[in-house]
Every structure is written in C-alpha cells, then in structure tokens.
Amino acid sequence: MEQTSNPAVMAEAVREIERLMEEGSREKDQATVRRLSAVRSQNLLRDRLVDLEGKARFAIGEGREDLAEVALSRQIDFEGTIVELDQTIAQAREEEDRLAAALGELKQRRDAMADSLRAYEAASTEVNQSAPAASASRARAADRAEDAFRRAMGAGADGIVAAAAADEETRKGLGEIDQMARRKDIGARMDKLRLGLAS
C-alpha cells in the first residue's frame, strides 16, 4: 500500500502521529497530576510541622520531655518526606517540559503531513496520477516522528541504573550512623525549645 502513494495510506500516517500525540498528552497529564499531588502533600506536611512544634513546646512546658522528643522525631520524618517530594516535583516538571516539547514537534510534523495530504488530494482531483515516492516519504516521516517522540520521552523506568546492593554489615553501619545523627538532631531541637521557654 505504501508504494501506491494512496491517500488512505497517507491519512493513516497522519492518524498514527495523532495517536502518538494523544499518548504523549496522557503522559504529560499524568506528570502534571504527580507534580500537583506532591505540592499538595508538601503543604499538608508543612502544616503538620507547625503543629508538631507547638506540641513539643507544650510537652516541655508540662515537664514531658519524652513526649516532646516524640513530636520532634516525627518532625524529622516529615522534613525528610518534604525533601523527597521536592525531587518528585522537579522530576515531574522536567517530564512535563520534555513531553510538551515532544508534542510541539509532533504537532508540527502532523500539520505538515496533513497539509501535504490535502495538497495531494487536491492535485489528484485534477490529474489522476500515482506518486509512489510521496507515500514512502510520509511513512518515513511518521517513523522519524515516532522515534523523536520516544527519545523525547526519555529513558523512563528502563533507563534507571540501579545501585549495587549493600551488604548486611554496611547496611547495619549506615543505619547506626543515621540513628546517631537523628538522636543528635533531636537533642539539638530539645535544647532550642528549652532555651525558648527559659527566655
């Protein structure tokens, strides 16, 4: 069929580009949802941080430093989650930008192909002739557009390089370091709260 420069083949090539555009648009929408969801989660967590600060101050004022430590420990967890959400937001925004650029390129190619198809159909009403190279050119253009779209979408999950797994002793040591740092952080926060109440 492609060798006949048949308008139906050319129209199918245009529809293929449009299907790729729809797929890319869905991917872009999903990235937008991920970004907005992460932003909302961050805002909720920031509200919780303020609430936990108040709870810790109250607990110290009531002589319950053990409860204040619990609140401060939870604060640290939320702060870590907020940092992770920053990465999610940045990645989603980057994906949105990449897909928007790919969609723009596909739209230009689709419009050019549609214009060529209309010109071909108009010429065919005047002169009934075959143009084998035209359809093959459209098919190649569709292939190039699809390749560009795939490249623009990035490596995705397949492109993620997994780090080598740590052995048990290494994991245990790193975990102990994390706990030491966490205890130090909680202690510093407790000292800060005590100073605040004393002043």
Side-chain angles (χ1 to χ4, degrees), residues 75-129:
Q75 258 193 339
I76 293 171
D77 292 337
F78 286 166
E79 288 168 355
T81 302
I82 287 172
V83 171
E84 291 173 2
L85 288 170
D86 278 334
Q87 296 172 352
T88 299
I89 290 167
Q91 290 169 354
R93 184 176 287 116
E94 182 181 335
E95 187 174 355
E96 286 178 274
D97 293 344
R98 184 172 61 246
L99 288 168
L103 286 168
E105 182 181 349
L106 284 172
K107 183 180 183 302
Q108 290 179 357
R109 290 175 179 267
R110 187 274 314 273
D111 291 347
M113 292 170 65
D115 289 344
S116 297
L117 176 58
R118 283 191 291 272
Y120 179 85
E121 289 173 335
S124 294
T125 60
E126 298 175 8
V127 180
N128 186 12
Q129 64 182 27

Side-chain angles (χ1 to χ4, degrees), residues 53 56-57 60-61 65 72 187-199:
E53 179 84 11
R57 288 181 184 279
I60 285 182
E65 292 192 357
L72 294 176
R189 292 178 189 222
M190 290 287 291
D191 291 341
K192 184 178 178 183
L193 286 177
R194 289 189 193 101
L195 288 174
L197 289 174
S199 59

Side-chain angles (χ1 to χ4, degrees), residues 3 18 36 38 58 67 70 79 87 89 97 103 142 146 162 164 172 176 179 184:
Q3 293 179 349
E18 289 172 344
L36 294 178
F58 177 77
L67 294 179
V70 171
E79 288 168 355
Q87 296 172 352
I89 290 167
D97 293 344
L103 286 168
E146 183 176 1
K172 183 177 177 182
E176 187 173 345
Q179 287 300 316
K184 185 175 180 180

Side-chain angles (χ1 to χ4, degrees), residues 132-142 144:
S135 180
S137 173
R138 299 307 184 279
R140 285 193 299 273
R144 287 194 300 271

